[in-house]
């Protein structure tokens, strides 16, 4: 195992459906453990194909009824700057998949402002940073996420940190406006790498043959500027949850059979 991937785990399931069920079950285990003694859990969600699939599997899991959702706060690693009821919004997708089906207080749901909120893109990014700062720690002006979910694009992007763009190198802000995104919609708000990587656990969830190359490069220690997924790293654990199609370029010795 190369040094660059030593602390990264790869968990493989045969299909996207099986993967979503597994991630959902593990997520519920983590949230239950974190909130057991009344501690708050901050969770960063992702949009994209598997973001929704995992949350639907959480909603369908009977163990969701065992969680005190009033202790759980939801954030997003990135958001598309579109109207509030636009189906492209990551927050709307997450609400439809999970948040509308669990008793989580509305004040625990921390959405970035939408394009019809009255704020422009810069103001919306600044407002999101200010909201993060309300829940900051002694170490940084943002909450420490117990779990940070990330999708990965075929180009290796995570959140709205795209390859070879300035945003991926920024370390002096918590949230940034993104313009001219290579993937539509063009305007977005993203958390920065220091925020994502201050998470206790970073879980990257990706499926499909079109992600195999990005996954292979991320695990091979590619530069995070050209493959942003390569730079995602949780303080305690970094896990790539993938299906067999995405895992086709992963060396078998990197696959964790025990996790
Ligand atoms: O645009 C985005 O894309 C990624 C990945 O999406 P997928 O559909 O290829 O899985 C997602 O992680 C990110 O949050 C989102 O805004």
């Amino acid at each position: 195992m190369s040094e660059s991937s030593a602390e990264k785990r790869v968990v493989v399931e045969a299909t996207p459906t099986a993967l979503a069920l597994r991630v959902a079950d593990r997520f519920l285990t983590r949230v239950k453990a974190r909130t057991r003694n009344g501690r708050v859990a901050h969770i960063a969600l992702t949009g994209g194909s598997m973001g929704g699939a995992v949350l639907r599997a959480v909603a369908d899991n009977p163990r969701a009824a065992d969680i005190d959702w009033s202790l759980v706060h939801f954030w997003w690693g990135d958001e598309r700057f579109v109207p509030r009821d636009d189906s492209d919004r990551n927050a709307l997708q997450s609400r439809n998949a999970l948040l509308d089906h669990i008793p989580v207080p509305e004040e625990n749901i921390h959405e970035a402002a939408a394009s019809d909120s009255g704020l422009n893109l810069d103001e919306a990014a600044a407002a999101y940073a200010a909201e993060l700062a309300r829940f900051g720690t002694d170490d940084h002006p943002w909450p420490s996420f117990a779990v940070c979910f990330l999708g990965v694009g075929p180009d290796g992007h995570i959140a709205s940190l795209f390859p070879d763009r300035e945003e991926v190198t920024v370390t002096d802000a918590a949230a940034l406006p993104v313009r001219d995104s290579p993937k539509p919609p063009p305007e977005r708000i993203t958390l920065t790498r220091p925020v994502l990587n201050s998470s206790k656990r970073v879980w990257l969830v990706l499926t499909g043959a079109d992600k195999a190359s990005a996954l292979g490069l991320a695990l091979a220690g590619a530069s995070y500027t050209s493959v942003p997924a390569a730079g995602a790293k949780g303080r305690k654990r970094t896990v790539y949850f993938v299906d067999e199609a995405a895992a086709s370029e992963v060396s078998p010795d990197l696959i964790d059979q025990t996790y």
Side-chain angles (χ1 to χ4, degrees):
M1 192 181 294
S2 73
E3 193 176 313
S4 59
S5 58
E7 65 290 313
K8 295 177 177 175
R9 297 181 177 198
V10 183
V11 174
V12 182
E13 281 286 348
T15 65
T17 303
L19 186 69
L21 291 172
R22 182 159 179 183
V23 176
D25 203 59
R26 182 144 292 261
F27 174 67
L28 287 166
T29 299
R30 279 283 125 243
V31 174
K32 185 72 185 171
R34 167 76 200 183
T35 55
R36 184 166 291 128
N37 297 324
R39 285 196 303 167
V40 165
H42 290 275
I43 306 297
L45 300 177
T46 178
S49 48
M50 286 309 288
V54 168
L55 295 186
R56 280 189 292 280
V58 172
D60 289 344
N61 190 315
R63 294 176 60 216
D66 297 337
I67 303 292
D68 180 352
W69 292 107
S70 72
L71 295 172
V72 184
H73 286 245
F74 291 100
W75 305 80
W76 281 266
D78 74 322
E79 185 54 278
R80 290 91 177 261
F81 194 60
V82 292
R84 189 177 171 79
D85 61 358
D86 190 309
S87 60
D88 259 344
R89 259 183 84 79
N90 289 337
L92 182 61
Q93 294 169 14
S94 303
R95 284 181 184 273
N96 290 338
L98 174 66
L99 306 183
D100 289 349
H101 308 286
I102 54 173
V104 59
E106 185 60 29
E107 63 265 27
N108 291 13
I109 300 175
H110 306 277
E111 288 189 31
S115 64
D116 54 356
S117 65
L119 301 184
N120 65 33
L121 179 60
D122 292 315
E123 292 167 341
Y128 198 42
E131 179 68 358
L132 287 156
R134 284 209 308 128
F135 294 85
T137 70
D138 290 344
D139 296 328
H140 42 65
W142 57 79
S144 184
F145 300 113
V147 178
C148 173
F149 286 106
L150 293 172
V152 179
D155 59 355
H157 83 263
I158 51 172
S160 286
L161 299 175
F162 291 92
D164 304 314
R165 301 249 320 191
E166 194 196 337
E167 295 91 7
V168 76
T169 65
V170 171
T171 56
D172 61 355
L176 294 175
V178 176
R179 293 183 168 82
D180 302 320
S181 158
K183 176 181 175 181
E187 294 191 325
R188 294 153 170 260
I189 293 164
T190 189
L191 298 185
T192 56
R193 281 182 68 240
V195 180
L196 300 175
N197 287 355
S198 66
S199 306
K200 190 165 183 187
R201 290 178 167 78
V202 168
W203 289 0
L204 303 103
V205 188
L206 57 152
T207 61
D210 63 331
K211 311 273 175 87
S213 163
L215 177 61
L217 288 168
L219 292 170
S223 104
Y224 70 82
T225 51
S226 55
V227 183
K233 191 171 180 311
R235 282 184 294 113
K236 177 168 177 135
R237 198 91 75 214
T238 309
V239 187
Y240 291 78
F241 290 97
V242 309
D243 72 346
E244 283 178 358
S248 63
E249 294 183 25
V250 177
S251 158
D253 63 307
L254 290 180
I255 296 174
D256 193 322
Q257 311 281 4
T258 60
Y259 193 65

